[in-house]
Amino acid sequence: MKQMAEVRTLKVNRYVVIDDEPCKIVSISTSKPGKHGEAKARIEAIGVFDGQKRSVVHPVKHKVTVPLIDKRTAQVVAIMGDHVQLMDMETYETFDIAIPEEFKGQLQPGKEVSYLEALGRKKITRV
């Protein structure tokens, strides 16, 4: 799910969609309005799922897409190679997800993990 917001309402450490990728905002810098134009904002952000740095420049009144990031907890059900099966602690839904490089070897069945869901994709954030 996603919603629209004006560029001037965005803040650092919030999220924005750039190139169909949810990104966490690292910095925002605004320029003064020119003689015939309006103020522009440069947004620097890092992709949530791919870790790639992206930047975009928009007028401050421009509307951008803001993803709804859902932070949840899940329990490890089974480990299958470089994938893990998790069960959501609220909905009891089970799903498979790739294990991020930094958490390899730390997951065990029965352990709880934090994950986030955005634009239909999931990622483990904390063990």
Coordinates of all heavy atoms in Angstrom, one line a residue, residues 47-98:
G47 N 17.7 2.5 -0.8 CA 16.7 1.5 -1.1 C 16.6 0.6 0.1 O 17.6 0.1 0.6
V48 N 15.4 0.3 0.5 CA 15.2 -0.6 1.7 C 15.6 -2.1 1.4 O 16.2 -2.7 2.2 CB 13.7 -0.6 2.1 CG1 13.4 -1.6 3.2 CG2 13.3 0.8 2.6
F49 N 15.3 -2.5 0.2 CA 15.5 -3.9 -0.2 C 16.8 -4.1 -0.9 O 17.4 -5.2 -0.8 CB 14.4 -4.5 -1.1 CG 13.1 -4.5 -0.3 CD1 12.0 -3.6 -0.6 CD2 12.8 -5.5 0.7 CE1 10.9 -3.7 0.1 CE2 11.7 -5.5 1.4 CZ 10.7 -4.6 1.1
D50 N 17.3 -3.2 -1.7 CA 18.6 -3.4 -2.4 C 19.8 -2.6 -1.9 O 20.9 -2.8 -2.3 CB 18.4 -3.1 -3.9 CG 17.9 -1.7 -4.2 OD1 17.9 -0.9 -3.2 OD2 17.7 -1.4 -5.4
G51 N 19.5 -1.7 -1.0 CA 20.6 -0.9 -0.4 C 21.3 0.1 -1.3 O 22.3 0.7 -1.0
Q52 N 20.7 0.3 -2.5 CA 21.2 1.3 -3.5 C 20.9 2.7 -3.1 O 19.8 3.0 -2.7 CB 20.7 1.0 -4.8 CG 21.7 0.8 -5.9 CD 21.0 0.4 -7.2 OE1 19.8 0.2 -7.4 NE2 21.9 0.4 -8.3
K53 N 21.9 3.6 -3.3 CA 21.7 5.0 -3.0 C 21.0 5.7 -4.3 O 21.4 5.5 -5.4 CB 23.0 5.7 -2.8 CG 22.8 7.1 -2.2 CD 24.2 7.6 -1.7 CE 23.9 8.9 -0.9 NZ 25.2 9.4 -0.3
R54 N 19.9 6.4 -4.0 CA 19.2 7.1 -5.1 C 19.0 8.6 -4.7 O 18.8 8.9 -3.5 CB 17.8 6.5 -5.3 CG 17.9 5.0 -5.8 CD 16.5 4.5 -5.9 NE 16.4 3.2 -6.6 CZ 16.7 2.0 -6.1 NH1 17.0 2.0 -4.8 NH2 16.6 1.0 -6.8
S55 N 18.9 9.4 -5.7 CA 18.6 10.8 -5.4 C 17.6 11.3 -6.5 O 17.7 10.9 -7.6 CB 19.8 11.7 -5.3 OG 20.5 11.7 -6.6
V56 N 16.8 12.3 -6.1 CA 15.8 12.8 -7.0 C 15.6 14.3 -6.6 O 15.7 14.7 -5.5 CB 14.5 12.0 -6.9 CG1 13.8 12.1 -5.6 CG2 13.6 12.3 -8.1
V57 N 15.3 15.1 -7.6 CA 15.0 16.5 -7.4 C 13.6 16.8 -7.9 O 13.2 16.5 -9.0 CB 16.0 17.4 -8.2 CG1 15.7 18.9 -8.0 CG2 17.4 17.2 -7.7
H58 N 12.8 17.5 -7.0 CA 11.4 17.8 -7.3 C 11.1 19.2 -6.7 O 11.7 19.6 -5.7 CB 10.4 16.8 -6.6 CG 10.4 15.5 -7.3 ND1 10.1 15.3 -8.6 CD2 10.6 14.3 -6.7 CE1 10.1 14.0 -8.9 NE2 10.4 13.3 -7.8
P59 N 10.2 19.9 -7.3 CA 9.6 21.1 -6.7 C 9.0 20.8 -5.4 O 8.5 19.7 -5.2 CB 8.6 21.6 -7.7 CG 8.9 21.0 -9.0 CD 9.5 19.7 -8.7
V60 N 9.1 21.7 -4.4 CA 8.6 21.4 -3.0 C 7.1 21.1 -3.0 O 6.6 20.4 -2.1 CB 8.9 22.4 -2.0 CG1 10.4 22.5 -1.7 CG2 8.4 23.8 -2.4
K61 N 6.3 21.6 -4.0 CA 4.9 21.3 -4.0 C 4.5 20.1 -4.8 O 3.3 19.7 -4.9 CB 4.1 22.5 -4.6 CG 4.2 23.8 -3.7 CD 3.4 24.9 -4.3 CE 3.5 26.1 -3.3 NZ 2.9 27.3 -3.9
H62 N 5.5 19.4 -5.4 CA 5.3 18.2 -6.1 C 4.8 17.1 -5.2 O 5.3 17.0 -4.1 CB 6.6 17.8 -6.8 CG 6.5 16.6 -7.7 ND1 5.9 16.7 -9.0 CD2 6.9 15.3 -7.6 CE1 6.0 15.5 -9.5 NE2 6.5 14.6 -8.7
K63 N 3.9 16.2 -5.7 CA 3.5 15.1 -4.9 C 4.3 13.9 -5.3 O 4.5 13.6 -6.4 CB 2.0 14.8 -5.2 CG 1.1 15.9 -4.6 CD -0.2 15.3 -4.2 CE -1.2 16.3 -3.7 NZ -1.0 16.9 -2.4
V64 N 4.7 13.1 -4.2 CA 5.5 11.9 -4.4 C 4.8 10.8 -3.7 O 4.0 11.0 -2.8 CB 6.9 12.0 -3.9 CG1 7.7 13.0 -4.8 CG2 7.0 12.5 -2.5
T65 N 5.1 9.5 -4.0 CA 4.5 8.4 -3.4 C 5.3 8.0 -2.2 O 6.5 7.9 -2.2 CB 4.5 7.2 -4.4 OG1 4.0 7.6 -5.6 CG2 3.7 6.0 -3.9
V66 N 4.5 7.8 -1.1 CA 5.1 7.3 0.2 C 4.6 5.9 0.5 O 3.4 5.7 0.6 CB 4.7 8.3 1.3 CG1 5.3 7.9 2.6 CG2 5.2 9.7 1.0
P67 N 5.5 5.0 0.7 CA 5.1 3.6 0.9 C 4.6 3.5 2.4 O 5.2 4.1 3.3 CB 6.3 2.7 0.7 CG 7.4 3.7 1.0 CD 7.0 5.0 0.6
L68 N 3.7 2.6 2.6 CA 3.3 2.3 4.0 C 4.1 1.1 4.4 O 4.0 0.0 4.0 CB 1.8 2.0 4.1 CG 0.9 3.1 3.8 CD1 -0.6 2.7 3.8 CD2 1.1 4.3 4.7
I69 N 5.1 1.3 5.3 CA 6.0 0.3 5.8 C 5.4 -0.3 7.1 O 5.1 0.3 8.0 CB 7.4 0.9 6.2 CG1 7.9 1.7 5.0 CG2 8.3 -0.2 6.7 CD1 8.7 0.9 4.0
D70 N 5.2 -1.7 7.0 CA 4.6 -2.4 8.1 C 5.7 -3.2 8.8 O 6.3 -4.1 8.2 CB 3.5 -3.4 7.5 CG 2.6 -3.8 8.6 OD1 2.6 -3.3 9.7 OD2 1.7 -4.7 8.3
K71 N 6.0 -2.8 10.1 CA 7.0 -3.5 10.9 C 6.3 -4.5 11.7 O 5.4 -4.2 12.5 CB 7.8 -2.5 11.7 CG 8.6 -1.5 10.8 CD 9.4 -0.5 11.6 CE 10.1 0.4 10.7 NZ 10.6 1.6 11.3
R72 N 6.8 -5.8 11.6 CA 6.1 -6.9 12.3 C 7.1 -7.8 12.9 O 8.3 -7.7 12.6 CB 5.2 -7.6 11.4 CG 4.2 -6.7 10.5 CD 3.4 -7.5 9.6 NE 2.4 -8.3 10.3 CZ 1.1 -7.9 10.4 NH1 0.7 -6.9 9.8 NH2 0.3 -8.7 11.1
T73 N 6.6 -8.8 13.7 CA 7.5 -9.8 14.3 C 7.0 -11.2 13.8 O 5.8 -11.4 13.5 CB 7.5 -9.8 15.8 OG1 6.1 -10.0 16.3 CG2 8.1 -8.5 16.4
A74 N 7.9 -12.1 13.7 CA 7.6 -13.4 13.2 C 8.5 -14.4 13.9 O 9.5 -14.1 14.5 CB 7.8 -13.6 11.7
Q75 N 8.1 -15.7 13.9 CA 8.8 -16.8 14.5 C 9.4 -17.7 13.4 O 8.7 -18.0 12.5 CB 7.9 -17.6 15.5 CG 8.7 -18.6 16.2 CD 7.8 -19.4 17.2 OE1 6.6 -19.5 17.0 NE2 8.3 -19.9 18.3
V76 N 10.7 -18.1 13.6 CA 11.3 -19.0 12.6 C 10.7 -20.3 12.8 O 10.7 -20.9 13.9 CB 12.8 -19.0 12.9 CG1 13.5 -20.0 11.9 CG2 13.4 -17.6 12.7
V77 N 10.1 -20.9 11.7 CA 9.5 -22.2 11.7 C 10.6 -23.2 11.2 O 10.8 -24.3 11.8 CB 8.3 -22.3 10.8 CG1 7.7 -23.7 10.7 CG2 7.2 -21.3 11.3
A78 N 11.2 -23.0 10.1 CA 12.2 -23.9 9.5 C 13.2 -23.1 8.7 O 12.9 -22.1 8.1 CB 11.5 -24.9 8.6
I79 N 14.4 -23.7 8.6 CA 15.5 -23.1 7.8 C 15.8 -24.1 6.6 O 16.1 -25.3 6.9 CB 16.8 -22.8 8.6 CG1 16.4 -21.8 9.7 CG2 17.9 -22.3 7.7 CD1 17.5 -21.7 10.8
M80 N 15.7 -23.6 5.4 CA 16.0 -24.4 4.2 C 17.1 -23.8 3.4 O 16.8 -22.9 2.6 CB 14.7 -24.5 3.4 CG 13.5 -25.2 4.0 SD 12.1 -24.2 4.6 CE 12.0 -22.9 3.5
G81 N 18.3 -24.1 3.7 CA 19.4 -23.5 2.9 C 19.6 -22.1 3.2 O 19.8 -21.6 4.3
D82 N 19.4 -21.2 2.1 CA 19.5 -19.8 2.3 C 18.2 -19.1 2.3 O 18.0 -17.9 2.2 CB 20.4 -19.2 1.2 CG 19.8 -19.4 -0.2 OD1 18.9 -20.3 -0.3 OD2 20.3 -18.8 -1.2
H83 N 17.1 -19.9 2.6 CA 15.7 -19.4 2.8 C 15.3 -19.8 4.2 O 15.7 -20.8 4.7 CB 14.8 -19.9 1.7 CG 14.8 -19.1 0.5 ND1 15.9 -19.2 -0.4 CD2 13.9 -18.3 -0.1 CE1 15.7 -18.4 -1.4 NE2 14.5 -17.8 -1.3
V84 N 14.3 -19.1 4.7 CA 13.8 -19.4 6.0 C 12.3 -19.3 6.0 O 11.7 -18.5 5.2 CB 14.4 -18.4 7.1 CG1 14.0 -17.0 6.9 CG2 13.9 -18.9 8.5
Q85 N 11.6 -20.2 6.7 CA 10.1 -20.1 6.7 C 9.7 -19.4 8.0 O 10.2 -19.8 9.1 CB 9.5 -21.5 6.7 CG 8.0 -21.5 6.6 CD 7.4 -22.9 6.4 OE1 7.9 -23.8 6.9 NE2 6.3 -22.9 5.7
L86 N 9.0 -18.3 7.9 CA 8.5 -17.6 9.1 C 7.0 -17.6 9.3 O 6.3 -17.8 8.3 CB 8.9 -16.1 8.9 CG 10.4 -15.8 8.8 CD1 10.6 -14.3 8.5 CD2 11.2 -16.2 10.0
M87 N 6.6 -17.5 10.6 CA 5.2 -17.4 10.8 C 4.9 -16.1 11.6 O 5.6 -15.8 12.6 CB 4.7 -18.6 11.8 CG 3.3 -18.5 12.1 SD 2.7 -19.8 13.2 CE 3.5 -19.4 14.7
D88 N 4.1 -15.3 11.0 CA 3.7 -14.0 11.6 C 3.1 -14.2 13.0 O 2.2 -15.0 13.1 CB 2.8 -13.2 10.7 CG 2.6 -11.8 11.1 OD1 1.8 -11.6 12.1 OD2 3.1 -10.9 10.5
M89 N 3.5 -13.4 14.0 CA 3.0 -13.6 15.3 C 1.6 -13.1 15.6 O 1.0 -13.4 16.5 CB 4.0 -12.9 16.3 CG 5.4 -13.4 16.3 SD 5.5 -15.2 16.7 CE 5.3 -15.2 18.4
E90 N 1.1 -12.2 14.6 CA -0.3 -11.7 14.8 C -1.3 -12.5 13.9 O -2.3 -12.9 14.4 CB -0.4 -10.3 14.4 CG 0.3 -9.3 15.4 CD 0.2 -7.9 15.0 OE1 -0.8 -7.5 14.4 OE2 1.1 -7.1 15.3
T91 N -0.9 -12.7 12.7 CA -1.9 -13.3 11.7 C -1.7 -14.8 11.6 O -2.5 -15.5 11.0 CB -1.7 -12.7 10.3 OG1 -0.4 -13.0 9.8 CG2 -2.0 -11.2 10.4
Y92 N -0.5 -15.4 12.1 CA -0.2 -16.8 12.0 C 0.0 -17.2 10.5 O -0.1 -18.4 10.3 CB -1.2 -17.7 12.7 CG -1.3 -17.3 14.2 CD1 -2.5 -16.8 14.7 CD2 -0.2 -17.5 15.1 CE1 -2.6 -16.4 16.0 CE2 -0.3 -17.1 16.4 CZ -1.5 -16.6 16.9 OH -1.6 -16.2 18.2
E93 N 0.2 -16.3 9.6 CA 0.5 -16.6 8.2 C 1.9 -17.1 8.1 O 2.8 -16.5 8.8 CB 0.2 -15.3 7.4 CG 0.9 -15.3 6.0 CD 1.1 -13.9 5.5 OE1 1.0 -12.9 6.2 OE2 1.4 -13.9 4.3
T94 N 2.2 -18.1 7.3 CA 3.5 -18.6 7.1 C 4.0 -18.2 5.7 O 3.2 -18.2 4.8 CB 3.7 -20.1 7.3 OG1 2.8 -20.7 6.4 CG2 3.4 -20.5 8.7
F95 N 5.3 -17.8 5.6 CA 5.8 -17.5 4.3 C 7.3 -17.7 4.3 O 8.0 -17.8 5.3 CB 5.5 -16.0 4.0 CG 6.0 -15.0 5.0 CD1 7.3 -14.5 5.0 CD2 5.2 -14.7 6.1 CE1 7.7 -13.6 6.0 CE2 5.6 -13.8 7.1 CZ 6.9 -13.3 7.0
D96 N 7.9 -17.9 3.1 CA 9.3 -18.1 2.9 C 9.9 -16.8 2.5 O 9.4 -16.0 1.8 CB 9.6 -19.2 1.8 CG 9.1 -20.6 2.2 OD1 8.8 -20.8 3.4 OD2 9.1 -21.4 1.3
I97 N 11.2 -16.6 3.0 CA 11.9 -15.4 2.7 C 13.4 -15.7 2.7 O 13.8 -16.6 3.4 CB 11.6 -14.3 3.8 CG1 12.1 -12.9 3.5 CG2 12.1 -14.7 5.1 CD1 11.6 -11.9 4.4
A98 N 14.1 -15.0 1.8 CA 15.6 -15.2 1.7 C 16.3 -14.7 3.0 O 15.8 -13.6 3.5 CB 16.1 -14.5 0.5

